[in-house]
Amino acid sequence: LTRQDRVMQLDRAVDAYVVASERLGPITLHAGALLEDFASTTVAGRTKLSDQGFSLRPMVGLEWHPAPYPRTTLLGDLTWVPEVRASGITQTWLAGWGVRYQAARSVGVELSVRHRQDEGLADTTVLVGARIAFAPK
């Protein structure tokens, strides 16, 4: 599947999600579900109502706060996402992992890696981010 195969345009989509978390010592587990409906799509200039109906997808996540490194969090998650293609909308998995470091109370850095089901290693998304929080006086 190439990126050119993804030529469908989403005109309107609705989604809602719920997540529950449980802390077990240095590990936090997350589990949830996402309810989604693609109300209309445009293919080759023609708009049509989606025949997908509502989809319910699971998602799970894990955080680990290693005791020797209290400012570090290791993250992992797995969910299913809509893949928009010319032939329609299909569900594929999306896995991610990363590390977050809280350098100070209001400064943090993060490295995240995301990998989709039908993509090779070369198409993996890598994100490096910095977070700075401040309160106006």
Side-chain angles (χ1 to χ4, degrees), residues 107-124:
V107 178
V109 294
E110 184 171 344
L111 168 68
S112 299
V113 178
R114 307 294 274 172
H115 183 73
R116 292 180 183 272
Q117 177 177 336
D118 293 331
E119 294 181 346
L121 192 56
D123 291 325
T124 299

Side-chain angles (χ1 to χ4, degrees), residues 50-63:
S50 174
D51 54 1
Q52 293 277 114
F54 284 99
S55 69
L56 182 65
R57 299 189 318 265
M59 54 185 161
V60 295
L62 171 78
E63 292 179 44

Side-chain angles (χ1 to χ4, degrees), residues 40-121:
S40 64
T41 56
T42 301
V43 180
R46 295 184 328 190
T47 300
K48 67 173 190 165
L49 291 176
S50 174
D51 54 1
Q52 293 277 114
F54 284 99
S55 69
L56 182 65
R57 299 189 318 265
M59 54 185 161
V60 295
L62 171 78
E63 292 179 44
W64 177 39
H65 305 273
Y69 309 102
R71 295 182 177 198
T72 302
T73 305
L74 299 173
L75 310 161
D77 62 75
L78 177 66
T79 188
W80 279 259
V81 296
E83 186 73 32
V84 180
R85 302 176 181 169
S87 58
I89 300 169
T90 61
Q91 300 295 327
T92 60
W93 57 259
L94 175 67
W97 60 270
V99 62
R100 185 179 299 145
Y101 178 72
Q102 193 70 34
R105 183 174 181 204
S106 59
V107 178
V109 294
E110 184 171 344
L111 168 68
S112 299
V113 178
R114 307 294 274 172
H115 183 73
R116 292 180 183 272
Q117 177 177 336
D118 293 331
E119 294 181 346
L121 192 56

